[in-house]
């Protein structure tokens, strides 16, 4: 990651140790994951032990230490979605992409994430691809949803 | 935006905002909250703007982008003033008709009105809805009415007058006393009396104190905090400023889940506007009182909803709870006395200050005062957010407001309180809801999620779902929670997969009591609730799974089969065509059949069949 960008983020957070979560969130917003060399750089600049940074990076589910796919498929597994059949939707996404939840396809096109609740319970079961919400999703609709993003990337 | 320097300034500015309002303008209130946005309300907004431009009516019509109305399932929702015509399921293609027919000619478009699924009656305005009739909107009053990104709108609706009153006419002890007397209890789940918390904190020694608003709404199935943060952020900020003044804090934090981007956005805007107006910062309203608020984003850890973990997360470390006491009111953020309340609790404060403790305590039951917002979701006909007086019965909530169970299915249970809560069966449906009655029934109030379950919900699976959820969210610090959940999950998975054996239920109960007695924080201490409450009320389902190897709800894949009812099947072939495993055979217009050896129970055919010929056996 661009050193200048990292410096800017650190400056915005006034080089505070307590802001490490916010700093890593900002890095991930740009890079889609937390590159190791960036974390090492942050550790040096903040004079904060690298193990402490990794402790936080591995504790919070939002952080990823490996690159993720171009499109992220979030399958909501909150209670309302679960009752409405979220597990079957997840099965179907996994079967279609030949990867498991929290994994990325070899071509780095898709990553699957499960989320606990997106607060859109009235629309259950919800699947979110990048920023697009799909409500009342049935397993039969998954293929069509995914192929839209596949063809969009080819265009 | 004008700077508000004194309390009389505030009233003058309110007057001038109200006078500036062009009463000739037609206002269209369009919901842009998460639920409606997911159903493309941004596109509707764009289409409406284009139509308004086309007619050259920019000076005559205003689109007000509001927060949630509560009726998310019917989104996108809009209300057209002054007649308050309520349109639902609005699509961009209807924008032309809405402007030309309704706004210009005053005609109501029937196909955009809500139709009662039972009576087929059309509903024209919000107050005619059966869903809204039993509700009492107190905290959720502004959401759906004001533009949450415009402080003027909040001030015009009477906003910040409670702050004015508190700063001008009340001393900090008087504010604390008012909150104590109101009987307000914490809306995050624990139900600790808010005023007592404030009193302890204000009496705690130390010059530096903090205020934290907990918006880390982690309970799956609950989204009232999100809607409140999105729809009425200034109410939360106003409540926080009053609390800060009462306990003597100068710095506040709002901790919000990162899964709620719109909430983060709206609160950030609201804080900035309040700073620009002089309602946050130094010398607020000329009283010499200083207070600032900072937003912290969560990073996807459920346990950070627990107050000690949340504070550790704000300090920039892994959110692992610590044992209490010392309670945060004595020793909180960075070791300083801290008041930490849920965002909904703070949103109650302005009304309590304005209308008084007596007014507030006259609402609700003897032990639980005021109103509570619930998210009513699951297998219920009308899903969304509702606000009712404490003491309303479950039957009123689920059947009168919620319209009963969907598709004519049978009601089985309602789950309240998220992963720390429990399942309440039909036998207790006439129970008035408050903190204590729910606890008595083996559940908790929690943040207010209510998930309705019908005969297609398997109660063993529900218990396993919550334990699985908590297993992943346990921080792992204390052994009872970390290992207890693992063992419970193991036993429940076995039961769901048909490997359950005699003694499993007793083992679950033993583990549950052990975890409740010895876990470090609330997560582990309440984790067994879903298991114990399902065993208590639905033991027959556990028995059917363990001894008969049957899941009559059709959820546990090893314990049921899909079969086609030959009498109902008309041989439309749709199931055969869509089956990914080619497990369905049959000729056109003749009954089909499923090969159980090939069937993977993906449920595609079950959902597709319009004649409901595919059954669970």
């Amino acid at each position: 990651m661009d050193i200048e960008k990292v410096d800017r983020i650190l400056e915005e957070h006034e080089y505070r140790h307590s802001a490490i979560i916010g700093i890593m969130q900002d890095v991930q917003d740009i890079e889609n994951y937390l590159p190791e060399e960036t974390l090492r750089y942050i550790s040096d600049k903040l004079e904060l032990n690298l193990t402490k940074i990794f402790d936080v990076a591995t504790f919070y589910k939002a952080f990823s230490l490996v690159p993720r796919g171009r499109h992220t498929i979030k399958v909501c597994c909150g209670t309302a979605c679960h009752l409405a059949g979220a597990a079957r939707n997840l099965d179907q996404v996994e079967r279609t992409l030949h990867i498991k939840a929290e994994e990325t396809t070899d071509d780095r096109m898709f990553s699957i994430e499960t989320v606990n609740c997106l607060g859109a319970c009235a629309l259950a079961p919800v699947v979110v691809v990048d920023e697009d919400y799909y409500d009342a999703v049935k397993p039969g609709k998954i293929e069509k949803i995914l192929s839209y993003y596949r063809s969009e990337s080819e265009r | 935006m004008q700077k508000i320097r004194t309390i009389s300034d505030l009233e003058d500015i309110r007057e001038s905002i109200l006078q500036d309002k062009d009463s000739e303008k037609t206002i269209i209130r369009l919901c842009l909250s998460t639920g409606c946005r997911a159903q493309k309300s941004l596109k509707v907004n764009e289409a409406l703007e284009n139509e308004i431009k086309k007619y050259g009516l920019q000076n005559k019509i205003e689109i007000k982008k509001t927060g949630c109305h509560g009726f998310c399932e019917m989104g996108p929702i809009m209300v057209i003033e002054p007649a308050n015509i309520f349109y639902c399921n609005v699509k961009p293609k209807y924008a032309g008709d809405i402007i030309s027919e309704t706004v210009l000619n005053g005609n109501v478009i029937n196909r955009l009105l809500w139709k009662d699924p039972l009576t087929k009656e059309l509903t024209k305005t919000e107050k005619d809805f059966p869903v809204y009739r039993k509700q009492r909107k107190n905290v959720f009053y502004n959401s759906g009415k004001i533009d949450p990104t415009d402080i003027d709108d909040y001030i015009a609706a009477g906003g910040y007058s409670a702050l004015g009153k508190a700063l001008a006419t009340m001393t900090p002890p008087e504010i604390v006393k008012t909150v104590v007397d109101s009987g307000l209890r914490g809306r995050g789940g624990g139900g600790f009396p808010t005023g007592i918390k404030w009193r302890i904190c204000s009496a705690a020694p130390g010059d530096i104190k903090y205020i934290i608003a907990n918006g880390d709404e982690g309970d799956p199935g609950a989204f009232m905090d999100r809607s409140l943060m999105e729809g009425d952020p200034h109410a939360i900020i106003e409540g926080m400023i009053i609390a800060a003044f009462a306990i003597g804090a100068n710095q506040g934090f709002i901790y919000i889940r990162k899964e709620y981007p719109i909430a983060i956005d709206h609160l950030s805007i609201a804080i900035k506007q309040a700073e620009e107006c002089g309602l946050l910062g130094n010398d607020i309203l000329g009283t010499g009182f200083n207070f600032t608020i900072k937003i912290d984003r969560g990073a996807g850890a459920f346990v950070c909803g627990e107050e000690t973990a949340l504070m550790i997360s704000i300090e920039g470390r892994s959110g692992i709870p610590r044992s209490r006491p010392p309670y945060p009111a004595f020793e909180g953020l960075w070791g300083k006395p801290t008041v930490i309340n849920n965002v909904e609790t703070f949103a109650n404060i302005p009304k309590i200050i304005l209308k008084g403790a007596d007014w507030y305590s006259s609402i609700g039951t003897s032990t639980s005062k005021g109103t509570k917002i619930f998210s009513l979701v699951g297998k219920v006909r009308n899903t969304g957010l509702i606000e009712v007086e404490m003491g309303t019965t479950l039957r009123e909530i689920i059947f009168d407001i919620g319209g009963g169970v969907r598709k004519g299915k049978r009601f089985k249970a309602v789950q309240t309180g998220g992963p720390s809560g429990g399942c309440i069966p039909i036998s207790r449906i006439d129970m008035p809801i408050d903190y204590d009655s729910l606890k008595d029934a083996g559940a908790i109030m929690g943040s207010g999620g209510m998930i309705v379950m019908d005969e297609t919900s398997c109660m063993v699976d529900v218990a396993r779902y919550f334990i699985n959820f908590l297993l992943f969210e346990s921080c792992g610090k204390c052994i009872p929670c970390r290992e207890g959940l693992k063992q419970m999950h193991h036993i429940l998975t076995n039961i769901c997969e048909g490997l359950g054996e005699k003694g499993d239920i007793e083992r679950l109960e033993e583990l549950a009591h052990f975890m409740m007695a010895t876990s470090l924080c609330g997560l582990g201490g309440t984790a067994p609730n879903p298991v114990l409450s399902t065993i208590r009320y639905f033991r027959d389902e556990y028995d059917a799974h363990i001894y008969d190897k049957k899941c009559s709800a059709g959820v546990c894949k090893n314990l049921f089969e899909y079969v086609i009812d030959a009498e109902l099947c008309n041989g439309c072939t749709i199931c055969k065509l869509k089956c990914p495993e080619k497990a369905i055979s049959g000729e056109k217009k003749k009954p089909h059949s499923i090969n159980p050896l090939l069937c993977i129970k993906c449920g595609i055919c079950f959902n597709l069949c319009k004649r409901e010929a595919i059954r669970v056996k």
Side-chain angles (χ1 to χ4, degrees):
Chain A
M1 186 175 165
D2 203 346
I3 296 291
E4 269 172 36
K5 280 185 190 162
V6 186
D7 283 338
R8 208 173 308 140
I9 292 171
L10 292 173
E11 215 151 280
E12 274 167 25
H13 290 277
E14 297 160 5
Y15 296 87
R16 281 178 293 121
H17 284 188
S18 63
I20 187 67
I21 296 173
I23 291 168
M24 291 201 287
Q25 279 169 333
D26 290 349
V27 169
Q28 188 160 294
D29 283 347
I30 298 171
E31 289 295 299
N32 209 9
Y33 80 111
L34 299 174
E36 190 184 320
E37 72 275 8
T38 308
L39 295 185
R40 285 185 184 278
Y41 180 77
I42 292 171
S43 165
D44 281 348
K45 279 271 166 172
L46 291 185
E47 294 177 10
L48 180 64
N49 203 319
L50 193 63
T51 50
K52 283 198 176 143
I53 292 182
F54 269 83
D55 170 23
V56 174
T58 51
F59 179 84
Y60 293 97
K61 208 182 155 205
F63 295 123
S64 173
L65 295 170
V66 289
R68 289 194 276 200
R70 193 185 307 178
H71 302 292
T72 307
I73 301 149
K74 291 190 195 127
V75 182
C76 181
C77 293
T79 321
C81 289
H82 178 76
L83 287 176
R88 285 176 181 176
N89 286 336
L90 179 61
D91 277 356
Q92 193 63 24
V93 176
E94 289 179 339
R95 247 199 316 271
T96 313
L97 296 177
H98 305 289
I99 51 169
K100 291 280 168 200
E102 320 307 329
E103 290 179 355
T104 301
T105 52
D106 288 341
D107 60 0
R108 293 246 182 106
M109 183 69 86
F110 293 107
S111 293
I112 310 177
E113 271 181 29
T114 56
V115 286
N116 284 336
C117 183
L118 290 164
C121 313
L123 317 172
V126 176
V127 173
V128 180
V129 185
D130 303 332
E131 307 279 299
D132 307 331
Y133 281 70
Y134 294 90
D135 57 318
V137 177
K138 299 272 185 290
K141 278 208 263 178
I142 298 287
E143 177 64 52
K144 201 176 154 196
I145 294 172
L146 295 184
S147 62
Y148 170 77
Y149 292 92
R150 235 182 245 129
S151 60
E152 193 195 42
S153 302
E154 279 161 17
R155 269 201 295 270
Chain B
M1 215 175 293
Q2 282 170 278
K3 192 99 180 166
I4 309 171
R5 288 176 213 284
T6 62
I7 291 154
S8 60
D9 254 14
L10 177 68
E11 293 312 318
D12 294 345
I13 285 171
R14 194 189 324 281
E15 270 309 298
S16 79
I17 296 169
L18 287 170
Q19 269 171 12
D20 285 350
K21 284 217 165 173
D22 188 350
S23 56
E24 298 290 298
K25 252 187 185 176
T26 302
I27 292 174
I28 301 176
R29 286 189 270 132
L30 176 67
C31 176
L32 281 180
S33 209
T34 300
C36 284
R37 228 180 254 213
Q39 297 175 88
K40 318 262 183 298
S41 66
L42 280 171
K43 290 244 165 72
V44 174
N45 179 46
E46 207 182 290
L48 281 171
E49 277 176 354
N50 287 340
E51 284 298 320
I52 293 170
K53 246 181 242 152
K54 202 171 90 187
Y55 285 95
L57 293 169
Q58 289 95 322
N59 296 325
K60 297 272 179 220
I61 306 171
E62 181 191 335
I63 304 172
K64 190 180 275 190
K65 302 172 189 78
T66 71
C68 184
H69 291 261
F71 208 17
C72 312
E73 195 194 0
M74 303 306 291
I77 284 171
M78 68 165 64
V79 175
I80 300 168
E81 293 181 2
N84 288 330
I85 299 161
F86 191 98
Y87 284 157
C88 49
N89 291 131
V90 180
K91 303 226 161 37
K93 63 179 175 188
Y94 301 142
D97 286 356
I98 290 168
I99 301 295
S100 64
E101 285 295 309
T102 310
V103 177
L104 294 178
N105 290 324
N107 297 327
V108 175
I109 305 167
N110 282 345
R111 68 168 182 278
L112 293 175
L113 295 177
W114 184 72
K115 193 187 202 176
D116 192 309
L118 291 177
T119 61
K120 309 284 173 214
E121 262 175 53
L122 294 173
T123 305
K124 209 176 129 189
T125 66
E126 196 164 355
K127 67 176 191 342
D128 299 330
F129 269 81
V131 179
Y132 292 114
R133 252 177 247 154
K134 291 221 165 177
Q135 295 197 45
R136 180 168 181 163
K137 294 207 173 187
N138 182 14
V139 178
F140 212 45
Y141 182 78
N142 277 336
S143 186
K145 291 199 176 69
I146 63 165
D147 180 346
T149 60
D150 182 2
I151 192 169
D152 283 358
D153 229 20
Y154 181 70
I155 291 174
Y160 288 110
S161 46
L163 177 68
K165 183 182 172 186
L167 293 182
T169 67
M170 297 168 88
T171 62
E174 278 169 2
I175 297 172
V176 172
K177 186 174 182 308
T178 304
V179 178
V180 172
D181 292 347
S182 72
L184 173 67
R185 293 171 69 175
R187 295 293 191 249
F192 189 82
T194 306
I196 305 286
K197 201 184 255 186
W198 292 17
R199 183 171 281 165
I200 296 170
C201 190
S202 66
D207 295 335
I208 300 172
K209 291 177 185 177
Y210 296 110
I211 294 281
I212 301 175
N214 185 345
D216 191 50
E217 185 176 49
D219 282 4
F223 55 103
M224 64 291 294
D225 292 354
R226 169 180 72 62
S227 293
L228 209 51
M229 290 187 279
E230 288 176 1
D232 197 8
H234 283 287
I236 297 163
I237 294 172
E238 189 177 358
M240 286 177 75
I241 306 173
I242 295 169
F245 180 66
I247 67 150
N250 301 117
Q251 175 70 56
F253 296 86
I254 309 179
Y255 191 91
I256 314 173
R257 294 178 80 197
K258 69 151 188 76
E259 286 87 347
Y260 292 170
I262 304 171
I264 295 172
D265 190 34
H266 285 187
L267 269 165
S268 307
I269 294 170
I271 290 172
K272 198 158 165 269
Q273 289 177 346
E275 281 169 353
E276 283 168 10
C277 285
L279 293 164
L280 279 175
N282 289 336
D283 194 20
I284 295 171
L285 296 178
T287 56
F289 168 59
N290 308 330
F291 185 60
T292 50
I293 297 178
K294 196 176 150 290
I295 289 178
D296 268 77
R297 287 182 290 165
F302 174 74
V303 72
C304 286
E306 199 276 342
E307 57 183 17
T308 61
L310 187 149
M311 291 187 298
I312 290 169
S313 180
I314 293 180
E315 291 172 12
R317 292 180 283 138
S318 297
I320 295 172
R322 63 161 172 81
S323 59
R324 295 174 307 181
Y327 286 92
F330 281 113
E331 218 179 295
L333 193 62
W334 287 297
K336 309 290 180 200
T338 304
V339 157
I340 173 164
N341 280 134
N342 178 268
V343 290
E344 191 186 335
T345 313
F346 282 121
N348 271 285
I349 300 296
K351 282 258 162 79
I352 294 175
I353 296 296
L354 272 186
K355 297 190 175 183
D358 289 343
W359 166 79
Y360 195 83
S361 62
S362 68
I363 309 166
T365 66
S366 59
T367 57
S368 308
K369 303 298 183 189
T371 55
K372 174 83 191 87
I373 311 174
F374 292 102
S375 66
L376 189 60
V377 294
K379 306 289 177 77
V380 64
R381 200 169 270 135
N382 310 321
T383 61
L385 288 181
I386 58 159
E387 183 173 355
V388 291
E389 197 168 332
M390 292 276 191
T392 307
T393 67
L394 271 177
R395 184 184 296 280
E396 286 173 294
I397 291 174
I398 295 164
F399 288 91
D400 298 347
I401 298 173
V405 180
R406 274 184 200 186
K407 294 180 186 165
K409 294 257 194 314
R410 196 167 42 87
F411 172 85
K412 190 187 258 184
V414 57
Q415 205 276 348
T416 71
S420 307
C423 295
I424 301 166
I426 187 93
S427 60
R428 303 197 74 146
I429 192 117
D430 289 308
M431 181 175 85
I433 292 293
D434 68 15
Y435 288 96
D436 308 281
S437 66
L438 279 168
K439 204 165 180 194
D440 183 52
I444 61 164
M445 175 80 75
S447 53
M450 275 196 182
I451 297 126
V452 176
M453 301 174 186
D454 68 5
E455 57 200 271
T456 64
S457 314
C458 167
M459 303 314 285
V460 187
D461 175 70
V462 166
R464 179 176 69 149
Y465 165 79
F466 282 117
I467 295 300
N468 181 50
F469 176 95
L470 292 166
L471 177 64
F472 278 93
E473 296 296 345
S474 170
C475 76
K477 183 176 179 178
C478 74
I479 299 170
C481 174
R482 184 181 72 216
E483 296 303 320
L485 284 167
K486 211 168 191 173
Q487 292 308 318
M488 274 192 167
H489 185 254
H490 180 69
I491 297 171
L492 286 165
T493 303
N494 274 349
I495 298 176
C496 289
E497 288 179 353
L499 302 168
E501 47 190 54
K502 193 168 179 280
D504 275 351
I505 298 177
E506 290 71 24
R507 269 189 286 278
L508 284 172
E509 285 173 331
E510 192 192 336
L511 274 166
H513 294 302
F514 177 71
M515 282 172 67
M516 288 169 110
T518 56
S519 291
L520 177 70
C521 82
L523 191 145
T526 55
N529 281 353
V531 178
L532 287 180
S533 71
T534 47
I535 292 176
R536 177 168 163 194
Y537 298 118
F538 301 97
R539 201 181 175 109
D540 53 331
E541 278 194 42
Y542 279 84
D543 287 341
H545 279 67
I546 295 169
Y547 300 108
D548 310 334
K549 309 291 175 201
K550 284 280 166 222
C551 175
S552 58
V555 174
C556 302
K557 282 187 176 180
N558 288 358
L559 304 180
F560 75 94
E561 274 176 9
Y562 282 123
V563 290
I564 298 180
D565 188 329
E567 277 180 22
L568 285 175
C569 177
N570 64 354
C572 73
T573 72
I574 183 110
C575 59
K576 186 178 153 183
L577 287 171
K578 295 283 177 183
C579 177
E581 302 297 314
K582 310 220 178 320
I584 302 180
S585 56
E587 283 173 43
K588 216 172 175 177
K589 293 190 179 166
K590 282 188 182 157
H592 285 38
S593 64
I594 299 174
N595 180 349
L597 296 175
L598 293 176
C599 177
I600 54 164
K601 293 164 194 163
C602 66
I604 289 178
C605 60
F606 183 75
N607 286 321
L608 275 174
C609 184
K610 291 209 169 67
R611 297 176 63 85
E612 296 192 0
I614 298 174
R615 296 227 170 114
V616 170
K617 194 181 136 191

